[in-house]
Amino acid sequence: MENRRLIVGISGASGAPLAVETVRQLREMGVAVDLIVTRGGEMTLREECGIRPQELAKGCEAFYTQEEIGAGPASGSFAAMGMIVVPASMKTVAGIACGYSDNLLLRAADVTLKERRRLVLLARECPFSAIHLRNMLELTKMGAVIVPPVMSFYNHPQCIGDMTRHIVCKALSLFDLEPQGYKRWEGMET
Ligand SMILES: Cc1cc2nc3c(=O)[nH]c(=O)nc-3n(C[C@H](O)[C@H](O)[C@H](O)COP(=O)(O)O)c2cc1C
């Protein structure tokens, strides 16, 4: 990985607590965060977490709105190890899948793909339509990793916070990071 700097995009799907947890874990690991929040992401952060993007951005390396199309992450020469979009709405998934980069989050994801860097999408909708599934298949073929925030039980979660932490740990481990407290599956006791 190029350095310990990651672009974090937040779009307007349900799951804003996943974004808050992602930023928390990255800061805990000493990874610099470049935060991009779409207008939809701003709405879900307010609705689901009661916070503004600027509050989440405290302690991040940089914060950008979707309009800042000329900012660092819009260029391939911006040195980041990759990008995570958490959560990724179906609109954002569609935009990335067809290279329609009309905001900074979409452009940064487009750049991440063209530079062959790791792109992880916590794509969230329920249920998925054929359009959603097709776009996610296309993105997978292009090298992105689709990590839908689905429930897991093998780690014996006690509360929704455990579920949130687990899926974020799993997503961040895809960047060769070692999130603290990640309960990996180590096989069943026989
Ligand atoms: C509270 C709330 C929850 C939403 N949840 C989802 C969702 O889970 N998945 C999704 O694809 N869109 C969801 N949407 C719709 C998106 O926010 C909308 O399509 C928006 O245009 C996405 O734009 P963005 O990807 O640029 O943020 C939700 C909207 C609101 C207000």
Side-chain angles (χ1 to χ4, degrees):
M1 294 289 169
E2 284 167 45
N3 58 23
R4 288 177 67 83
R5 182 170 194 157
L6 193 67
I7 302 168
V8 177
I10 304 178
S11 66
S14 183
L18 296 162
V20 174
E21 176 63 14
T22 299
V23 170
R24 189 195 69 76
Q25 286 194 21
L26 287 169
R27 290 187 58 198
E28 192 172 72
M29 289 186 282
V31 177
V33 173
D34 286 85
L35 189 65
I36 306 171
V37 184
T38 65
R39 282 195 292 274
E42 198 172 332
M43 285 178 69
T44 47
L45 271 174
R46 190 176 62 225
E47 175 66 23
E48 299 180 337
C49 300
I51 59 169
R52 294 183 311 124
Q54 290 81 357
E55 293 171 61
L56 183 60
K58 284 178 191 154
C60 290
E61 195 69 17
F63 165 65
Y64 313 97
T65 63
Q66 69 173 49
E67 282 78 24
E68 293 177 71
I69 201 73
S75 168
S77 64
F78 186 79
M81 57 186 179
M83 177 171 181
I84 183 168
V85 184
V86 50
S89 78
M90 292 302 108
K91 180 239 180 185
T92 284
V93 165
I96 302 169
C98 54
Y100 189 72
S101 303
D102 77 336
N103 70 41
L104 180 62
L105 189 156
L106 294 171
R107 170 64 185 166
D110 197 21
V111 165
T112 302
L113 280 179
K114 87 177 172 74
E115 298 294 330
R116 308 297 196 268
R117 295 178 186 141
R118 178 69 92 200
L119 177 65
V120 173
L121 307 173
L122 276 80
R124 198 273 161 198
E125 189 45 277
C126 185
F128 291 123
S129 73
I131 297 171
H132 305 151
L133 291 165
R134 184 194 60 198
N135 287 336
M136 289 190 284
L137 177 61
E138 288 302 320
L139 282 166
T140 300
K141 288 179 185 168
M142 293 169 204
V145 185
I146 306 292
V147 184
V150 296
M151 294 182 288
S152 60
F153 296 91
Y154 61 85
N155 54 317
H156 302 291
Q158 301 298 306
C159 58
I160 196 161
D162 288 349
M163 291 239 182
T164 305
R165 275 186 290 281
H166 183 74
I167 188 68
V168 171
C169 285
K170 194 172 181 72
L172 292 180
S173 70
L174 291 164
F175 294 94
D176 295 337
L177 295 168
E178 197 54 54
Q180 288 173 29
Y182 183 25
K183 282 192 192 169
R184 293 173 186 272
W185 177 249
E186 288 173 347
M188 289 175 80
E189 287 177 22
T190 49

